[in-house]
């Protein structure tokens, strides 16, 4: 790297940015242990808000809903996205490839509000009732493109000779798909699944538009409660969700690391 | 290759593309050309060019500009400092991690932090400026939005700066460039693709963050996103909401094309 002058200044600045980024999160968690009920006056340590959270049946049901939607939509999105990645990655016509990739990325660059209202229009037109069904479909829909992008590099890395060899040895198309291609691209599929899981778990804006009155996910519920003002039960909930988010992030990081390792070893 | 199995891929992925990418865009276009009674009309677009909506669009662009600019100002030096660390990958993950925390929870945290008795106002009072209203103001909205976008700005810039060959910087130093000149003449131009990616990842979402405006700015700030939400969920004027969405769509396409063209292009070397 380049000259060292200013290195200390840079480090001090990084510490500052680091502090700024983490302060709100730590602040929120700290006050989840507050005995009082405001987010600015500390009145001693207590676990009351966690107790209240665990007794809040409505919230527990919503948490379960969120988890089920996330798992189900990620599995479906992984299947569709893997098909898409194979289609794009193995297509020989450059023009078609680029068109498909462009269409694939539309949902990734569109603002959430845009996606939310366009899906709302779609479901209304198609006569799909707003509720868990529409939320599930919407989550599958916006997770597919990210799965494609996670799997695609693996498909492109796959040597053509591998497939030729399998065919020469008499493998059927099915065998090639299930015993050669899918095992080869598994790291990408796992990474895609994990990303889809986080996307689904995190989404507020799209869900907000396509959910009816009776069905809710955690982000939507947090929004409606936060609009009513500060309640430290929300802080307790966020503390738990932070743990989960961090677990997701580390899970994803770990998969990426594992995926990187064989490649760098091969280079050596 | 893969023979008939490919047809299965086309069916699954093709249906998804048609139903959830192409059709929704067409539906928004269709809806924007209809009034509340379902009649074909251009009225919604004429209404958009009335002073009320133009002002709102102008405000929205203005806020998005400041949010993007301030995020860049905070993130750029951080990305530079990050590249020079020995354990930079670890610190990068540490800086990106907050972006994995749900946006609404982070916004909610600021309800406490920016409140009249919160820590920010305690600090401000310590300096003797007295409590400053932050919650339910446009300043609060910009602050929280910048906070949310910093990680999304750091990542692409970091990647671009990391890709700059160390030899280039050594050469500049050998030729007598000061550290400032190195940053201005070598690093900045070569990091522009990253800056462009970061700006793109910030600007358009900043136009549509309706939940932050609702939570932090009360109903004082109305962005394009807030207006769309309002028309769809409150007033029920889907045509007008869709017309604004079409404008947002056009802005988005323009920014993608704009960012690819020479506006930000590096004077030396290019991409």
């Amino acid at each position: 790297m380049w000259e060292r002058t200013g290195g200390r200044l840079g480090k001090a600045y990084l510490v500052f940015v680091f502090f700024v980024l983490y302060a709100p999160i730590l602040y929120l968690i700290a006050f989840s242990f507050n005995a009082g009920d405001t987010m600015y006056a500390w009145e001693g340590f207590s676990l009351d808000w966690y107790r209240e959270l665990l007794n809040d049946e409505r919230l527990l049901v919503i948490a379960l809903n969120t988890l089920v939607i996330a798992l189900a939509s990620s599995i479906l999105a992984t299947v569709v996205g893997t098909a898409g990645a194979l289609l794009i990655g193995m297509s020989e016509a450059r023009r078609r490839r680029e068109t498909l990739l462009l269409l694939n990325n539309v949902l990734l660059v569109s603002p959430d509000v845009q996606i939310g209202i366009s899906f709302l229009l779609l479901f209304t037109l198609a006569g799909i009732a707003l509720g868990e069904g529409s939320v599930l479909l919407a989550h599958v829909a916006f997770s597919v493109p990210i799965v494609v992008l996670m799997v695609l590099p693996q498909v492109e890395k796959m040597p053509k000779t591998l497939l030729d060899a399998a065919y020469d040895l008499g493998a059927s198309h099915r065998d090639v798909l299930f015993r050669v291609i899918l095992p080869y691209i598994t790291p990408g599929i796992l990474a895609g699944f994990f990303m889809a899981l986080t996307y689904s778990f995190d989404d507020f804006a799209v869900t907000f538009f396509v959910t009816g009155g009776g069905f809710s996910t955690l982000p939507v519920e947090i929004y409606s409660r936060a609009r009513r003002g500060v309640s430290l039960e929300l802080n307790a909930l966020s503390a738990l969700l932070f743990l989960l988010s961090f677990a997701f992030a580390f899970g994803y990081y770990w998969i990426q690391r594992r995926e990187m390792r064989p490649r760098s070893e091969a280079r050596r | 290759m893969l023979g008939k199995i490919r047809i299965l891929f086309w069916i699954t992925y093709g249906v998804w593309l048609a139903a959830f990418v192409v059709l929704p865009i067409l539906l928004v276009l269709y809806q924007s050309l209809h009034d509340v009674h379902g009649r074909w009309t251009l009225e919604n677009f004429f209404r958009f060019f009335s002073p009320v909506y133009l002002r709102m669009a102008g405000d929205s662009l203005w806020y998005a500009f400041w949010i993007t600019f301030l995020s860049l100002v905070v993130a750029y030096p951080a990305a530079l400092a990050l590249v020079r660390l020995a354990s930079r990958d670890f610190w990068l993950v540490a800086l990106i991690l907050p972006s994995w925390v749900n946006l609404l929870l982070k916004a909610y945290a600021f309800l406490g932090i920016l409140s009249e008795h919160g820590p920010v106002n305690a600090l401000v009072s310590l300096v003797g400026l007295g409590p400053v209203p932050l919650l339910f103001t446009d300043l609060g909205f910009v602050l929280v939005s910048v906070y949310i976008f910093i990680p999304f700005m750091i990542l692409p810039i970091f990647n671009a700066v990391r890709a700059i060959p160390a030899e280039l910087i050594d050469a500049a130093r050998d030729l007598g460039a000061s550290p400032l000149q190195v940053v201005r003449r070598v690093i900045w131009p070569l990091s522009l693709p990253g800056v462009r990616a970061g700006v793109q990842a910030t600007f358009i979402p900043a136009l549509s963050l309706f939940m932050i405006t609702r939570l932090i700015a009360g109903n004082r700030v109305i962005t394009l996103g807030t207006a769309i939400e309002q028309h769809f969920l409150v007033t029920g004027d889907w045509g007008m909401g869709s017309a604004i969405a079409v404008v947002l769509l056009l802005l988005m396409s323009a920014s993608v094309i704009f960012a690819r063209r020479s506006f930000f292009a590096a004077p030396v070397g290019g991409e």
Side-chain angles (χ1 to χ4, degrees):
Chain A
M1 265 308 98
W2 63 87
E3 21 63 56
R4 289 280 148 198
T5 47
R8 205 169 287 166
L9 202 74
K11 269 181 199 159
Y13 182 70
L14 266 185
V15 170
F16 165 73
V17 173
F18 192 78
F19 171 78
V20 167
L21 286 177
Y22 277 86
I25 299 172
L26 297 177
Y27 187 82
L28 206 56
I29 296 178
F31 274 91
S32 71
F33 298 107
N34 190 9
D37 55 5
T38 66
M39 225 201 286
Y40 50 84
W42 180 257
E43 291 172 30
F45 180 88
S46 95
L47 288 173
D48 290 351
W49 298 107
Y50 287 90
R51 230 164 274 141
E52 189 151 324
L53 181 69
L54 291 179
N55 290 324
D56 189 339
E57 253 171 61
R58 181 183 153 78
L59 212 56
L60 291 181
V61 169
I62 291 174
L64 204 66
N65 283 342
T66 313
L67 206 64
V68 170
I69 291 277
L71 282 172
S73 70
S74 311
I75 291 170
L76 290 172
T78 305
V79 173
V80 179
T82 304
L86 286 171
L87 206 60
I88 296 173
M90 295 172 82
S91 99
E92 271 115 45
R94 212 184 133 191
R95 202 50 188 278
R96 183 196 299 159
R97 213 188 107 87
E98 279 174 5
T99 313
L100 283 177
L101 209 53
L102 184 80
L103 285 174
N104 184 70
N105 294 352
V106 167
L107 290 183
L108 288 176
V109 293
S110 297
D112 292 345
V113 182
Q114 187 107 38
I115 301 174
I117 59 145
S118 64
F119 284 3
L120 175 61
L121 285 172
L122 178 72
F123 293 139
T124 316
L125 185 91
I128 296 170
L130 299 183
E132 51 263 84
S134 59
V135 171
L136 178 69
L137 276 178
H139 281 221
V140 173
F142 68 64
S143 304
V144 167
I146 192 70
V147 175
V148 171
L149 286 197
M150 300 308 259
V151 180
L152 193 57
Q154 301 273 330
V155 176
E156 286 176 337
K157 225 174 58 188
M158 190 168 56
K160 281 259 151 52
T161 47
L162 198 68
L163 305 189
D164 293 339
Y167 281 120
D168 283 349
L169 292 168
S172 66
H173 292 314
R174 235 184 97 157
D175 286 339
V176 169
L177 177 63
F178 284 101
R179 299 172 70 171
V180 181
I181 297 178
L182 287 184
Y184 191 90
I185 62 174
T186 299
I189 295 178
L190 276 179
F193 172 74
F194 247 94
M195 280 304 267
L197 211 55
T198 9
Y199 264 48
S200 169
F201 215 75
D202 244 21
D203 179 71
F204 162 71
V206 178
T207 315
F208 184 63
F209 283 100
V210 299
T211 188
F215 187 79
S216 191
T217 63
L218 278 178
V220 174
E221 180 70 9
I222 290 166
Y223 177 73
S224 70
R225 288 191 187 204
R227 287 207 71 184
R228 274 180 261 146
V230 170
S231 146
L232 294 189
E233 197 189 335
L234 272 186
N235 292 53
L237 175 66
S238 16
L240 297 180
L241 285 179
F242 288 146
L243 283 179
L244 203 66
S245 296
F246 284 3
F248 271 174
F250 276 118
Y252 172 69
Y253 184 64
W254 182 74
I255 287 177
Q256 273 218 321
R257 288 289 292 251
R258 220 180 52 155
E259 186 193 332
M260 303 285 261
R261 214 173 303 142
R263 221 182 299 154
S264 52
E265 267 161 25
R267 213 181 294 140
R268 247 177 261 147
Chain B
M1 228 166 273
L2 282 178
K4 281 189 183 144
I5 294 178
R6 279 184 75 100
I7 295 171
L8 274 180
F9 295 168
W10 269 114
I11 292 172
T12 45
Y13 188 68
V15 165
W16 171 78
L17 273 184
F20 292 100
V21 178
V22 180
L23 193 57
I25 294 178
L26 296 178
L27 283 176
V28 171
L29 274 173
Y30 176 86
Q31 191 71 43
S32 71
L33 293 169
H34 283 76
D35 63 14
V36 272
H37 308 291
R39 283 185 295 250
W40 286 91
T41 176
L42 277 172
E43 179 63 27
N44 295 324
F45 289 97
F46 291 131
R47 260 168 81 197
F48 188 85
F49 288 100
S50 68
V52 181
Y53 281 101
L54 280 183
R55 221 202 120 176
M56 183 204 73
D59 282 354
S60 193
L61 287 169
W62 184 238
Y63 286 125
F65 165 77
W66 276 108
I67 292 166
T68 310
F69 177 73
L70 292 175
S71 306
L72 181 61
V73 167
V74 177
Y76 198 85
L80 279 193
L82 198 58
V83 172
R84 300 172 62 185
L85 289 183
S87 50
R88 58 190 185 183
D89 286 331
F90 171 79
W91 287 100
L92 180 70
V93 173
L95 286 176
I96 298 301
L97 214 49
S99 71
W100 286 65
V101 170
N102 194 294
L103 191 107
L104 291 163
L105 292 178
K106 285 182 287 191
Y108 170 73
F110 281 97
L111 285 182
I113 293 173
L114 298 181
S115 71
E116 205 187 326
H117 309 284
V120 171
N121 261 321
L123 257 170
V124 173
S125 306
L126 213 67
V127 191
L129 284 170
V132 183
L134 290 166
L135 223 48
F136 312 122
T137 64
D138 37 8
L139 178 64
F141 166 64
V142 171
L143 285 179
V144 175
S145 305
V146 169
Y147 169 84
I148 282 166
F149 286 118
I150 289 171
F152 299 103
M153 200 58 112
I154 290 181
L155 185 62
I157 297 175
F158 171 84
N159 284 332
V161 175
R162 181 167 56 176
I164 300 174
E167 293 85 359
L168 275 182
I169 289 144
D170 291 340
R173 299 289 292 147
D174 286 348
L175 292 169
S178 71
L180 211 66
Q181 279 173 318
V182 172
V183 171
R184 205 165 64 87
R185 310 282 289 263
V186 181
I187 298 170
W188 170 254
L190 290 174
S191 69
L192 281 175
V195 171
R196 214 174 303 164
V199 165
Q200 225 178 320
T202 305
F203 190 77
I204 293 296
L207 287 173
S208 48
L209 278 176
F210 72 94
M211 51 290 211
I212 307 292
T213 62
R214 289 272 193 244
L215 284 179
I216 302 294
N219 288 329
R220 280 202 34 143
V221 177
I222 299 194
T223 63
L224 291 177
T226 324
I228 294 174
E229 185 245 11
Q230 180 94 8
H231 281 304
F232 266 86
L233 299 181
V234 185
T235 61
D237 188 352
W238 289 19
M240 191 60 215
S242 300
I244 302 171
V246 170
V247 173
L248 194 57
L249 200 73
L250 291 177
L251 281 173
M252 188 188 82
S253 321
S255 92
V256 171
I257 295 164
F258 201 50
R260 283 222 187 116
R261 290 278 157 82
S262 55
F263 175 68
F264 268 129
V268 275
E271 271 167 80

